[in-house]
C-alpha cells in the first residue's frame, strides 16, 4: 500500500480512465495536466479516432487543451501524457483504474447497471495485484460492495488485500466557469480504510480538496442526495409555476423577490423539464433501492412526476396561445430554440427539448430547431428525429407560427426573436429584458 501511495504522491503512477465522455474526458485531462501518465479507454472507436486526430467531441473540453497532452504511441506514455485507446489489455499497465461509464434507467425506470457490469468484467480480466479500482458512476448505495467487488474478486484476488477498491462520485458541472474538475471537492469512500487511504492519495495528487468518508456506501448515498435535493426543489418551483400562471403571477418575479431574504432561502428556477445525465435519472436509483427496505420515497417520486410533466405543460401553453390566434397545433410551423439540456452546452442527453419536439410532432406540427452548439440531432435511446439546426434570420423567423425557447444559450439574439416572431413561448425567462409590454411573448 505504501508503495502505491508513494507512486501517486510522486505522480509516477499510471492512471487508467474508462469512459471518455462528459465525466471521463475532463478527468483524464486533469490527471494529465497534474503530471500523471493517463491511458484513456473507450469502446467507441469514433471517440478514440477523434482524440488521436487532435480533435475534441466535447465543447467545454477544447482540442487546444488536449493537444499538448496527447501521446499516440502504444509504448508506456511518459508523464504528463494522455494516451487514448480501445485496447483494454493496456489496463495491466495502470496503477489506478477509474470507471466513468453511464448509469441510465431501464424503460421501467429501474437502475441499468449493464455498462458498469460490462466494464467491471473487462477490468477483472486484466486485474493484477496492487491496483486501485474506483467507480465514479452515480449509483445506489451498495453497488461498489455488492456488484463491483464480487465481479473483481471472481479471479481470486481479494479487495482490501490484493487490490484496492473505492467509490468516488463524479461531480461534473459542464461549462461552470466558477468550478472545475480540479477545484470541486472530491468525496472518496473505500471498501476498507486502506482502500480509502490509497484512493485519497491518488486524487490528492491533482485535486484541490479530497474529502474521505467512512465507506463507499456513504459516498454513493451522498451523491444521490445532492441530485435529489436539486430535483425536489426544482419540482417545487415548477409546480408553483403552474399555479402562479393560473393566478396571473410571474413566477420569476416571485422567486427574485423571495431571494432578497438573506437567510433560510435558496432560489431555484423553473424550466421546461429536467435534462442531463444526473437529475432526471439518479434519484430513481434510490427509489428502487428503497423498495428493498420496504419503503416508498414519496418526495422523490412526486418530484419526478412534476418535472416529467413540464414538457407537456409547455406544449399546452403553446396550444392555448395558438388557439387564441385562431391557429391549430396540427399543421403549425414551430421553431424550437435550444435543444441542449443546459445553456451553452452541446449535450442533449435527456433534454426536455426532445420530449417537446416529440409531443409536437405527434400533434401534427412541423418542427424545426436552432441550436448554435448542436448542428444535428443524433439518434438517442428514445428519439430519432433526423433534424439539423437551421439558421436564425428575421425573414426565417417570420415563417414560423411560433418560436419556443427551450434552452437559453447566450449566443442567441433574443431581441431579434421577439421582434420578428408572431408568437414566442419562453420557458427560461430569456426575454425578461425585452418582452415587457409585448403581447406576443408567453412564459411557460
Amino acid at each position: 500500500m505504501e508503495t502505491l501511495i508513494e507512486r501517486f504522491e510522486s505522480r509516477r503512477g499510471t492512471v487508467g480512465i474508462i469512459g471518455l465522455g462528459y465525466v471521463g474526458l475532463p478527468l483524464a485531462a486533469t490527471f494529465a495536466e497534474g503530471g500523471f501518465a493517463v491511458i484513456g479507454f473507450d469502446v467507441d472507436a469514433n471517440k478514440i479516432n477523434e482524440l488521436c486526430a487532435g480533435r475534441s467531441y466535447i465543447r467545454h473540453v477544447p482540442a487546444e487543451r488536449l493537444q499538448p497532452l496527447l501521446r499516440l504511441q502504444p509504448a508506456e506514455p511518459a508523464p504528463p501524457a494522455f494516451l487514448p485507446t480501445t485496447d483494454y489489455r493496456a489496463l495491466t499497465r495502470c496503477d489506478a483504474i477509474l470507471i466513468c461509464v453511464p448509469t441510465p434507467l431501464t424503460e421501467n425506470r429501474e437502475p441499468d447497471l449493464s455498462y458498469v457490469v460490462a466494464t467491471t468484467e473487462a477490468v477483472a480480466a486484466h486485474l493484477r495485484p496492487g491496483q486501485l479500482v474506483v467507480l465514479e458512476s452515480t449509483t445506489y448505495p451498495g453497488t461498489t460492495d455488492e456488484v463491483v467487488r464480487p465481479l473483481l474478486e471472481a479471479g481470486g484476488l481479494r479487495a482490501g488485500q490484493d487490490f484496492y477498491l473505492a467509490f468516488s462520485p463524479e461531480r461534473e458541472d459542464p461549462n461552470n466557469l466558477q468550478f472545475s474538475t480540479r477545484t470541486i471537492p472530491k468525496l472518496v469512500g473505500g471498501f476498507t480504510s486502506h482502500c480509502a487511504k490509497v484512493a485519497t492519495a491518488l486524487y490528492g495528487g491533482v485535486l484541490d480538496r479530497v474529502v474521505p468518508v467512512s465507506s463507499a456506501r456513504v459516498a454513493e448515498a451522498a451523491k444521490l442526495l445532492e441530485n435529489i435535493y436539486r430535483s425536489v426543489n426544482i419540482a417545487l418551483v415548477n409546480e408553483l409555476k403552474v399555479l402562479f400562471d393560473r393566478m396571473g403571477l410571474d413566477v420569476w418575479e416571485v422567486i427574485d423577490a423571495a431571494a432578497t431574504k438573506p437567510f433560510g432561502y435558496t432560489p431555484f428556477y423553473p424550466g421546461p423539464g429536467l435534462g442531463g445525465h444526473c437529475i432526471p435519472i439518479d434519484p430513481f436509483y434510490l427509489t428502487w433501492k428503497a423498495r428493498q427496505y420496504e419503503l416508498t420515497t414519496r418526495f422523490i417520486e412526486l418530484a419526478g412526476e412534476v418535472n416529467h410533466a413540464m414538457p407537456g405543460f409547455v406544449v399546452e401553453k403553446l396550444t392555448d396561445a395558438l388557439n387564441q390566434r385562431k391557429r391549430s397545433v396540427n399543421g403549425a410551423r414551430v421553431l424550437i430554440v435550444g435543444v441542449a439540456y443546459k445553456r451553452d452546452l452541446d449535450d442533449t442527453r435527456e433534454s426536455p427539448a426532445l420530449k417537446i419536439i416529440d409531443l409536437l410532432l405527434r400533434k401534427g406540427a412541423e418542427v424545426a430547431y436552432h441550436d448554435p452548439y448542436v448542428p444535428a440531432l443524433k439518434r438517442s435511446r428514445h428519439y430519432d428525429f433526423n433534424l439539423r439546426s437551421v439558421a436564425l434570420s428575421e425573414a426565417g423567423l417570420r415563417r414560423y407560427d411560433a418560436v419556443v425557447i427551450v434552452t437559453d444559450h447566450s449566443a442567441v439574439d433574443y431581441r431579434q426573436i421577439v421582434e420578428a416572431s408572431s408568437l414566442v413561448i419562453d420557458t427560461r425567462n430569456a426575454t425578461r429584458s425585452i418582452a415587457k409590454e409585448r403581447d406576443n411573448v408567453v412564459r411557460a
Side-chain angles (χ1 to χ4, degrees):
M1 180 181 73
E2 298 301 328
T3 301
L4 187 57
I5 290 177
E6 182 183 341
R7 285 182 65 80
F8 291 153
E9 290 178 341
S10 63
R11 296 173 175 80
R12 290 183 292 110
T14 298
V15 179
I17 297 177
I18 304 179
L20 298 177
Y22 288 88
V23 172
L25 188 60
L27 187 64
T30 300
F31 269 103
E33 289 165 343
F36 281 89
V38 178
I39 304 178
F41 302 84
D42 206 290
V43 295
D44 186 345
N46 291 328
K47 289 182 179 178
I48 301 302
N49 291 338
E50 285 291 289
L51 293 171
C52 289
R55 295 188 292 265
S56 175
Y57 40 85
I58 297 178
R59 181 175 178 270
H60 67 278
V61 188
E64 292 77 14
R65 179 184 179 189
L66 299 175
Q67 287 167 355
L69 307 170
L70 286 167
R71 304 291 184 271
L72 306 181
Q73 299 301 319
E76 189 75 28
F82 173 33
L83 171 67
T85 182
T86 58
D87 187 357
Y88 278 58
R89 291 175 297 180
L91 286 169
T92 58
R93 294 154 51 186
C94 299
D95 298 292
I97 301 170
L98 313 183
I99 299 173
C100 307
V101 297
T103 46
L105 295 171
T106 67
E107 293 295 335
N108 296 323
R109 303 186 76 77
E110 294 184 347
D112 178 1
L113 292 179
S114 57
Y115 296 100
V116 171
V117 169
T119 302
T120 304
E121 290 174 341
V123 172
H126 302 284
L127 188 66
R128 60 169 173 79
Q131 287 180 308
L132 166 67
V133 180
V134 182
L135 179 64
E136 289 219 356
S137 308
T138 307
T139 185
Y140 58 80
T143 303
T144 304
D145 296 351
E146 300 164 8
V147 177
V148 174
R149 181 174 64 86
L151 291 172
L152 294 176
E153 291 183 340
L157 298 179
R158 292 291 173 261
Q161 300 176 25
D162 305 305
F163 69 93
Y164 304 97
L165 177 63
F167 179 81
S168 182
E170 60 86 9
R171 280 174 159 175
E172 282 296 313
D173 188 15
N175 218 37
N176 187 322
L177 301 180
Q178 185 176 0
F179 298 103
S180 66
T181 304
R182 181 179 62 81
T183 61
I184 297 171
K186 188 72 166 152
L187 297 180
V188 171
F191 173 64
T192 66
S193 59
H194 291 314
C195 294
K197 187 175 181 180
V198 172
T200 299
L202 169 69
Y203 289 111
V206 295
L207 306 183
D208 289 356
R209 183 185 177 200
V210 180
V211 183
V213 295
S214 62
S215 67
R217 290 165 59 89
V218 169
E220 290 162 338
K223 169 63 177 183
L224 290 181
L225 175 57
E226 296 166 14
N227 289 340
I228 290 167
Y229 170 78
R230 283 186 53 77
S231 175
V232 169
N233 281 282
I234 291 172
L236 172 63
V237 292
N238 274 333
E239 187 166 68
L240 291 176
K241 173 182 70 174
V242 176
L243 171 61
F244 290 161
D245 177 70
R246 293 193 182 182
M247 297 174 68
L249 294 171
D250 181 349
V251 66
W252 299 90
E253 183 182 3
V254 173
I255 292 170
D256 289 344
T260 61
K261 183 181 179 182
F263 56 89
Y265 178 81
T266 301
F268 286 81
Y269 297 95
L274 296 181
H277 66 293
C278 287
I279 303 176
I281 295 171
D282 298 343
F284 293 100
Y285 269 64
L286 192 59
T287 64
W288 177 83
K289 191 66 175 178
R291 291 198 290 270
Q292 297 182 10
Y293 294 85
E294 299 182 350
L295 288 173
T296 301
T297 51
R298 288 171 289 186
F299 255 49
I300 298 174
E301 295 187 24
L302 181 58
E305 291 177 14
V306 172
N307 291 326
H308 188 70
M310 286 304 102
F313 174 74
V314 173
V315 173
E316 179 183 333
K317 292 290 291 184
L318 170 61
T319 301
D320 290 345
L322 286 171
N323 284 342
Q324 291 174 3
R325 290 159 175 79
K326 302 187 185 320
R327 289 286 288 137
S328 168
V329 173
N330 191 349
R333 300 191 66 190
V334 180
L335 177 67
I336 304 295
V337 174
V339 294
Y341 82 85
K342 183 181 176 183
R343 176 191 302 165
D344 296 342
L345 281 191
D346 55 358
D347 188 353
T348 62
R349 288 175 298 169
E350 307 296 326
S351 171
L354 305 181
K355 182 63 176 177
I356 291 170
I357 292 173
D358 182 60
L359 290 172
L360 290 173
L361 290 173
R362 290 174 183 270
K363 291 180 177 293
E366 298 179 23
V367 181
Y369 84 90
H370 169 79
D371 193 305
Y373 308 119
V374 184
L377 278 177
K378 300 177 182 178
R379 185 172 185 174
S380 64
R381 284 166 61 91
H382 304 293
Y383 305 107
D384 186 12
F385 296 128
N386 192 29
L387 294 173
R388 298 190 67 83
S389 178
V390 300
L392 281 186
S393 68
E394 183 175 339
L397 287 166
R398 294 190 188 283
R399 291 198 295 267
Y400 294 100
D401 297 296
V403 176
V404 183
I405 300 170
V406 178
T407 310
D408 52 339
H409 292 308
S410 57
V412 173
D413 185 347
Y414 296 105
R415 180 172 296 279
Q416 179 191 54
I417 290 175
V418 171
E419 293 179 350
S421 304
S422 59
L423 173 62
V424 178
I425 307 297
D426 185 359
T427 72
R428 298 286 188 180
N429 204 25
T431 63
R432 57 189 171 275
S433 62
I434 306 163
K436 290 181 179 179
E437 307 303 325
R438 291 184 183 268
D439 60 5
N440 68 324
V441 177
V442 175
R443 288 188 175 86

